[in-house]
Amino acid sequence: MTHADMNALKKSERVLVYNREWKRKNRTKMLAQRKLYREANKDKQKEYYKVYRLNNLDKEVIRNKAWALNNPDKKRAKHSLRRARVKKVNDIKTLADRKQLVDLFKQALKREEETGYEWHVDHTIPITKGGRHCLTNLQVVPAKWNLSKGNRHERKFVYATKEK
């Protein structure tokens, strides 16, 4: 924006335009400053967001529902981790492992779209039979097969099995 254009605007509008331009030009600098502030004031930030959530419950509910609709794979993975944590059998702790878990749920959703049948992420060795919630004990199987299997331990599912 030219100097003449800036003079034509009211003072409050000029300030807004200036601030907008500064933020656009210094985005990385501004983000770095915010990050430093958040790291230096973790307790203050935690309290702020706690109060914000309590005062804006309706917005939080809407935001969470929208996230769940847009991220069904992440929602399922988060739910499976929570169930495993409650049962004290969770071995998926690192970020890389969580990403692989989300990928398994993405694979199940992709197969649902391709085949038209529901697919589950199943424990090869059931948790009730001593199995753990870890990546080596998980497989993507048709829901019909998983539900008929129950909590029995069976060999890994072969993708080529016929649908009844």
Side-chain angles (χ1 to χ4, degrees):
M1 189 168 254
T2 65
H3 189 64
D5 293 335
M6 289 292 283
N7 285 335
L9 296 174
K10 293 180 187 174
K11 184 178 179 180
S12 60
E13 291 174 351
R14 285 195 308 248
V15 171
L16 288 174
V17 170
Y18 174 81
N19 288 342
R20 202 175 300 130
E21 286 294 314
W22 186 90
K23 286 177 184 177
R24 188 182 60 77
K25 290 177 183 176
N26 298 294
R27 180 168 171 74
T28 55
K29 181 180 178 181
M30 188 176 65
L31 292 174
Q33 287 173 345
R34 286 181 184 172
K35 185 176 181 178
L36 286 172
Y37 177 82
R38 282 193 310 271
E39 288 173 357
N41 298 289
K42 285 186 178 184
D43 293 337
K44 200 174 184 181
Q45 289 287 300
K46 193 174 184 178
E47 185 61 30
Y48 170 80
Y49 285 116
K50 182 179 177 182
V51 170
Y52 175 84
R53 281 188 214 97
L54 289 173
N55 293 333
N56 297 285
L57 287 176
D58 51 341
K59 289 181 184 178
E60 285 291 305
V61 168
I62 292 167
R63 188 181 60 79
N64 289 337
K65 283 183 181 180
W67 179 86
L69 286 172
N70 292 328
N71 301 288
D73 50 340
K74 292 177 184 174
K75 180 187 173 207
R76 289 181 183 183
K78 185 177 179 181
H79 186 66
S80 74
L81 284 171
R82 183 180 165 276
R83 285 192 323 262
R85 224 178 11 256
V86 167
K87 293 180 181 181
K88 295 179 176 39
V89 294
N90 186 32
D91 289 338
I92 299 175
K93 299 193 189 304
T94 65
L95 185 61
D97 287 348
R98 285 191 207 131
K99 286 182 179 180
Q100 287 182 338
L101 180 65
V102 170
D103 288 341
L104 281 174
F105 282 98
K106 279 183 185 174
Q107 186 180 20
L109 288 170
K110 184 179 176 187
R111 287 186 182 173
E112 284 179 15
E113 291 172 6
E114 291 172 352
T115 63
Y117 298 108
E118 187 179 359
W119 289 72
H120 288 176
V121 175
D122 173 47
H123 293 94
T124 307
I125 302 170
I127 289 175
T128 57
K129 302 289 183 183
R132 302 288 297 172
H133 187 69
C134 60
L135 294 172
T136 56
N137 192 36
L138 295 172
Q139 59 184 341
V140 178
V141 298
K144 188 174 182 180
W145 183 83
N146 184 33
L147 295 173
S148 68
K149 178 183 108 146
N151 73 339
R152 293 184 303 275
H153 170 49
E154 297 191 16
R155 297 276 178 229
K156 286 197 175 197
F157 174 76
V158 179
Y159 184 80
T161 58
K162 295 178 184 175
E163 191 67 33
K164 294 181 182 179

